[in-house]
Amino acid sequence: MAVGVNYCCTVLLILGMATICLTQKTHLKYHLQHLTGERHPASPDTQQLLEARSYIKDQFRQYDLELVINHFNTTVVIKGQEKTITGENIVGVARGDADDSVLVVGADYDTTPQQSPLENNGGGVATMLEVARMYMNSTGPGRELKRRGTVLFVAFDLNTIEYAAAQPDERYGRPGAYYFLHQWLWPFLNQSSQKFVGAIILDSITKFNTKKMSQYLPSGFEKTFPAAHERIASMGNRGDFLAMYTRTSRTSHHLTSVITASYNEGSTKASPPRLQELPVVSGAPANSDTLSMFNHQAHFHFWTFQPSAEPLPLTAVLLTDTDIYRGSGEVCGPPCSAKEFLTPSRQLVLSHIASTLTNTLLQLQTEQGISDGSTGVALVPTLALTSSLVALMRLLH
Ligand SMILES: *[C@@H]1O[C@H](CO)[C@@H](O)[C@H](O)[C@H]1NC(C)=O
Ligand SMILES: *[C@@H]1O[C@H](CO)[C@@H](O)[C@H](O)[C@H]1NC(C)=O
Ligand SMILES: *[C@@H]1O[C@H](CO)[C@@H](O)[C@H](O)[C@H]1NC(C)=O
């Protein structure tokens, strides 16, 4: 009988996921529509920032996430004046009920005045929202999968490091991701890294280009990432890959191997850009040109975390199109509407990343068994089930 019940639930779940796959385009477009405007503290129109904030909060609530706001004060320079302002990191908590492990999926939601609000980082935020929606819709009360560990979905405010990069002679305070980690996450983890699975950061993930020489690699890149350099150079320096910056620790390896397997497993029919791992070897510092590629995004605060005298690097992975180091193959605007922006190839990439990360969370933070409080349900690893979902998604793409 148990088999019958399980089978039925699996079919229902797959049907649920099918609905999600078919409507994903609509969801992505809807998220992006709320992220087209400039969201910078010095912007003359503050409405765009306020609207994006309230949209993200509304979505988290709709998905049944527990909404928490992490306020922080930092300094920015507005018209030459240093000003203290209050930022808002928006956190959606999906609490696990069986262990204390914690995994973060995060994206910056503010913008610099120089860049496209959809590229940096509307696409990352929209994808993070999709992961949250699909994860919540496949787990929890009445669903086949039970949330075992905790997942935190986070939209970071005020990446002051990017503002400072544009205005190097001005003094900026620390960014939102730093405050989230130090003021909010570290206490949440009871000041221990033991239960921390890692952070997956999405920062600029919509620029791809199959033209030769569309990918710029700074000097020293070949020393820090010899294997990646060889691969990219041998193929004519094309910006046709999704970069995954990682560190070479054991916990990091575990997280990235699940992400890589999910990414590649789902990609036989439609072909999203290949995933290029960029492993940073501990104790082998990159030169400053190469470091500038990956030292201003949220993952870097986890890598360089130092709560006391001793450094305590935390696992984090950055997924990115390398941003200003790449020319876009599909230039849009400005102004660029969500509809124009969401070309078939961008939609493929974003949906693929969203499915990959949802699968990653399902594998790492859930287990099979309906969470109805009963103890008789056999707990089976979710791997087999996830593979069948991937197979189905492949058909639907
Ligand atoms: C969850 O999936 C069901 C279909 O399986 C759908 O009706 C519902 O709207 C979805 N909820 C969200 C928040 O996407
Ligand atoms: C930010 O600064 C204001 C004004 O000094 C203060 O009232 C507020 O409590 C501070 N907020 C945080 C989160 O530190
Ligand atoms: C932190 O401590 C509280 C209270 O003891 C506990 O309920 C919670 O699960 C702990 N969290 C982690 C991540 O260990």
Side-chain angles (χ1 to χ4, degrees):
M1 187 207 94
V3 173
V5 170
N6 262 340
Y7 175 74
C8 174
C9 291
T10 307
V11 170
L12 281 181
L13 181 72
I14 286 176
L15 287 178
M17 288 303 264
T19 317
I20 288 167
C21 290
L22 292 175
T23 56
Q24 186 147 79
K25 180 178 177 189
T26 326
H27 284 284
L28 279 171
K29 196 166 92 191
Y30 196 62
H31 301 322
L32 290 170
Q33 275 168 2
H34 295 84
L35 299 163
T36 55
E38 189 179 298
R39 304 177 290 280
H40 186 264
S43 152
D45 177 10
T46 54
Q47 207 49 34
Q48 303 285 344
L49 172 65
L50 299 178
E51 272 173 25
R53 264 184 198 151
S54 76
Y55 179 74
I56 296 167
K57 292 176 195 172
D58 279 354
Q59 292 299 301
F60 279 174
R61 277 192 212 102
Q62 268 187 35
Y63 310 154
D64 279 334
L65 288 162
E66 188 187 317
L67 179 68
V68 186
I69 310 299
N70 164 226
H71 287 105
F72 61 94
N73 287 338
T74 192
T75 56
V76 298
V77 181
I78 298 175
K79 295 200 183 105
Q81 296 280 313
E82 198 174 311
K83 268 185 89 171
T84 297
I85 55 170
T86 305
E88 286 191 20
N89 294 321
I90 308 165
V91 189
V93 184
R95 236 174 250 280
D97 49 16
D99 71 25
D100 297 332
S101 74
V102 175
L103 201 154
V104 168
V105 180
D108 286 330
Y109 73 93
D110 63 321
T111 63
T112 60
Q114 296 83 12
Q115 288 179 294
S116 153
L118 288 171
E119 279 176 356
N120 188 10
N121 183 31
V125 174
T127 305
M128 181 270 288
L129 290 174
E130 276 304 275
V131 178
R133 184 178 68 81
M134 295 196 288
Y135 180 72
M136 292 306 281
N137 210 336
S138 346
T139 59
R143 297 291 200 260
E144 171 92 343
L145 298 175
K146 187 167 164 297
R147 292 196 281 274
R148 196 193 60 231
T150 293
V151 180
L152 306 171
F153 298 94
V154 192
F156 303 112
D157 199 1
L158 295 172
N159 189 358
T160 51
I161 303 180
E162 290 190 355
Y163 316 160
Q167 312 285 347
D169 51 336
E170 294 177 343
R171 279 171 46 102
Y172 288 84
R174 294 190 191 274
Y178 175 93
Y179 287 105
F180 165 74
L181 174 52
H182 287 79
Q183 289 184 346
W184 198 92
L185 183 62
W186 192 231
F188 187 83
L189 294 170
N190 297 326
Q191 320 219 341
S192 158
S193 63
Q194 268 189 355
K195 299 292 179 62
F196 189 59
V197 182
I200 304 171
I201 304 300
L202 299 164
D203 201 331
S204 187
I205 52 169
T206 59
K207 267 196 209 180
F208 295 91
N209 200 328
T210 53
K211 283 213 185 73
K212 279 191 175 175
M213 303 309 288
S214 52
Q215 179 66 48
Y216 174 71
L217 301 178
S219 72
F221 186 88
E222 72 286 357
K223 286 214 181 66
T224 308
F225 306 111
H229 181 265
E230 196 182 323
R231 173 101 199 243
I232 298 163
S234 73
M235 292 169 61
N237 289 51
R238 293 171 211 263
D240 60 354
F241 57 89
L242 178 69
M244 175 163 72
Y245 286 90
T246 64
R247 280 178 48 115
T248 55
S249 68
R250 197 170 44 82
T251 48
S252 173
H253 180 74
H254 180 56
L255 177 61
T256 53
S257 62
V258 176
I259 296 174
T260 306
S262 278
Y263 192 91
N264 294 333
E265 204 177 346
S267 65
T268 43
K269 193 155 179 238
S271 53
R274 75 189 164 82
L275 187 64
Q276 175 66 61
E277 194 170 338
L278 297 170
V280 177
V281 179
S282 320
N287 74 0
S288 63
D289 286 350
T290 304
L291 193 61
S292 312
M293 282 185 104
F294 62 88
N295 68 357
H296 58 273
Q297 302 91 341
H299 73 292
F300 205 69
H301 304 291
F302 292 82
W303 289 7
T304 55
F305 187 52
Q306 186 166 352
S308 56
E310 287 301 304
L312 183 65
L314 299 176
T315 296
V317 168
L318 169 67
L319 293 172
T320 181
D321 57 25
T322 75
D323 195 11
I324 58 169
Y325 293 83
R326 177 178 295 179
S328 178
E330 294 178 307
V331 177
C332 182
C336 175
S337 70
K339 187 162 181 279
E340 289 167 291
F341 186 73
L342 199 60
T343 58
S345 58
R346 282 204 182 94
Q347 193 214 312
L348 170 71
V349 176
L350 297 186
S351 302
H352 190 70
I353 298 174
S355 314
T356 297
L357 297 186
T358 307
N359 275 322
T360 300
L361 301 185
L362 294 179
Q363 283 190 39
L364 293 174
Q365 299 301 83
T366 71
E367 61 196 1
Q368 211 161 28
I370 303 210
S371 49
D372 54 2
S374 82
T375 49
V377 185
L379 302 177
V380 184
T382 56
L383 218 58
L385 178 76
T386 319
S387 310
S388 64
L389 286 178
V390 171
L392 186 93
M393 284 176 174
R394 203 180 293 153
L395 292 176
L396 288 165
H397 268 306

